[in-house]
Amino acid sequence: PAPPGFTSAFTTETPMLGVLGSDLQAPRPARASLGLSQALGSSATLHLVGTVRRTEFLMRRSDVNLAVAPASLEADSDRPIYGRLEKIGALVVPEPGSNRRFHAYDVILGLSSDGWSDYRGITVAFERGSGGRFDLFASYTLSSTEDNLVGARSGDHTAELAPRVETVSTSPWEHGTSDFDVPHKLSAGFRTRVSLLEGAELSATYRFQSGWAYTPGYRTGVDVNGDGSGSNDPAFVLPDAMSANLADAACLSTDVERIATRNVCRAPGLHSLDARLSIALFRFGEATGSLTLDLFNLLDVDLSIPDSALLLVEEGSPLQEVAGTTRIPTRVNPTFGQQTRPLQPGRMLRVGFTLGPP
């Protein structure tokens, strides 16, 4: 539909296409795992497990209708800019059609199987359980996941387009820490009988995992390089960002005066705690009637994603185009790295009754 205040004479529609590459095929994973277990006494066991996994032929998207050569360069970073940029308030977008090879179409998504993912992890676990008065378990995993799947967690197909930026390393910018990388994961729990209540048991489980990785960038809708995606551009880290007292400035220290590395920053770790109290009320023949109280998310974990916009576009300043370069007026976002919208599922109490074998 036409935007409010405009008639159909001022609107155009260019279709988007999807083109299947000749190499498109099903993903192919290869996985190897080696574990060692050592008994500690009669009721405890120590485990050590190492795992590696390589997945190939994952589907990736690319825009095959993007202009062959950039029209200009970004003034600060020499980032290639495709088409002619125009500024609408705090948004920067390419002029319609200026960044396209074939003007009858908008984005032409080329679907190919050149995606890959590498996982390496080692787990140390301890368990003590004999069905007696006290049982205990603990597990810690140290891992790393790397891939070339940009924007895989976003749910936005345009965020999966590689941003076409140069890096100081020999590897492409998109080769790096995965959106699904969780380097640290810990879980521990226990079960014990409560001496004050006959037939009562108390159990609890604590979990911790590293927060999600994210890339310092711009607000959604700011298309710095004019490739048609307002969700995939990493920010150029200005020296001002290190002196702005940002919540998560430490992750930027290795990228000053260059394009931010993919997923160089990370959200705070997630802590959760669940508990259960089970009380045997009566026996009916060979069955036992039990009351259970389950308490979920006692720590009220916050699942919100930090503000990943390192730079904001100045609304009142125009674009500056000089000698084949384009300067976008920006300022450091003071809320970078802070939690934006709380996503706390809340605590929950569940009361249950069971009648069954003891």
Side-chain angles (χ1 to χ4, degrees):
F6 291 85
T7 64
S8 58
F10 294 95
T11 61
T12 60
E13 180 180 350
T14 51
M16 180 178 68
L17 296 180
V19 180
L20 301 182
S22 59
D23 64 340
L24 197 64
Q25 55 185 301
R28 183 182 303 168
R31 184 179 185 274
S33 181
L34 176 64
L36 300 174
S37 298
Q38 174 65 52
L40 304 176
S42 59
S43 60
T45 307
L46 181 66
H47 305 278
L48 179 64
V49 181
T51 303
V52 295
R53 183 182 66 245
R54 170 77 176 187
T55 305
E56 296 182 327
F57 306 121
L58 294 170
M59 191 183 72
R60 289 209 308 163
R61 295 176 171 88
S62 61
D63 184 6
V64 297
N65 197 29
L66 192 63
V68 177
S72 64
L73 300 176
E74 187 184 12
D76 293 324
S77 65
D78 290 337
R79 179 187 345 229
I81 298 175
Y82 297 88
R84 178 181 175 84
L85 296 182
E86 58 182 6
K87 188 169 174 294
I88 307 174
L91 299 181
V92 175
V93 295
E95 183 179 304
S98 65
N99 60 342
R100 298 301 173 201
R101 298 172 61 188
F102 307 103
H103 297 284
Y105 298 95
D106 189 20
V107 177
I108 300 180
L109 291 177
L111 309 179
S112 59
S113 295
D114 59 350
W116 54 266
S117 174
D118 281 332
Y119 170 85
R120 297 175 179 86
I122 184 169
T123 299
V124 179
F126 171 82
E127 57 181 354
R128 179 187 182 276
S130 60
R133 185 173 187 82
F134 185 81
D135 295 334
L136 174 69
F137 77 90
S139 174
Y140 169 73
T141 299
L142 176 66
S143 66
S144 67
T145 306
E146 296 183 345
D147 60 28
N148 63 345
L149 307 174
V150 178
R153 291 187 63 244
S154 67
D156 178 4
H157 67 275
T158 64
E160 299 179 22
L161 302 177
R164 299 173 182 257
V165 295
E166 300 292 334
T167 64
V168 294
S169 64
T170 57
S171 299
W173 180 89
E174 57 267 25
H175 292 193
T177 301
S178 170
D179 292 3
F180 304 100
D181 180 54
V182 183
H184 303 284
K185 186 178 293 184
L186 170 70
S187 62
F190 72 89
R191 182 199 63 83
T192 184
R193 294 180 180 177
V194 180
S195 57
L196 298 179
L197 297 173
E198 182 67 25
E201 290 184 351
L202 176 65
S203 59
T205 300
Y206 166 79
R207 297 180 181 88
F208 167 81
Q209 73 172 43
S210 302
W212 296 114
Y214 64 95
T215 304
Y218 302 84
R219 284 278 186 259
T220 300
V222 176
D223 188 0
V224 175
N225 65 348
D227 66 348
S229 172
S231 307
N232 69 339
D233 292 319
F236 181 77
V237 182
L238 299 169
D240 297 345
M242 302 305 299
S243 58
N245 195 26
L246 301 178
D248 201 8
C251 63
L252 306 172
S253 59
T254 59
D255 290 332
V256 178
E257 293 189 344
R258 66 186 192 190
I259 298 292
T261 304
R262 180 188 170 206
N263 285 334
V264 69
C265 296
R266 189 170 294 274
L270 303 176
H271 303 262
S272 64
L273 178 63
D274 303 326
R276 163 178 282 198
L277 177 62
S278 177
I279 305 173
L281 299 178
F282 61 86
R283 293 182 62 88
F284 182 76
E286 297 183 354
T288 300
S290 300
L291 176 68
T292 58
L293 301 177
D294 291 316
L295 300 171
F296 298 102
N297 194 26
L298 290 175
L299 301 180
D300 199 16
V301 61
D302 189 352
L303 303 176
S304 60
I305 299 175
D307 188 352
S308 62
L310 176 63
L311 299 178
L312 303 178
V313 176
E314 293 279 8
E315 294 190 26
S317 302
L319 299 176
Q320 300 176 10
E321 299 179 358
V322 178
T325 64
T326 301
R327 182 179 298 277
I328 301 174
T330 59
R331 59 183 174 86
V332 177
N333 177 18
T335 63
F336 171 74
Q338 298 180 15
Q339 305 299 97
T340 52
R341 296 181 300 274
L343 297 175
Q344 295 167 296
R347 301 176 179 90
M348 183 171 68
L349 169 65
R350 182 173 66 187
V351 180
F353 174 79
T354 60
L355 180 64

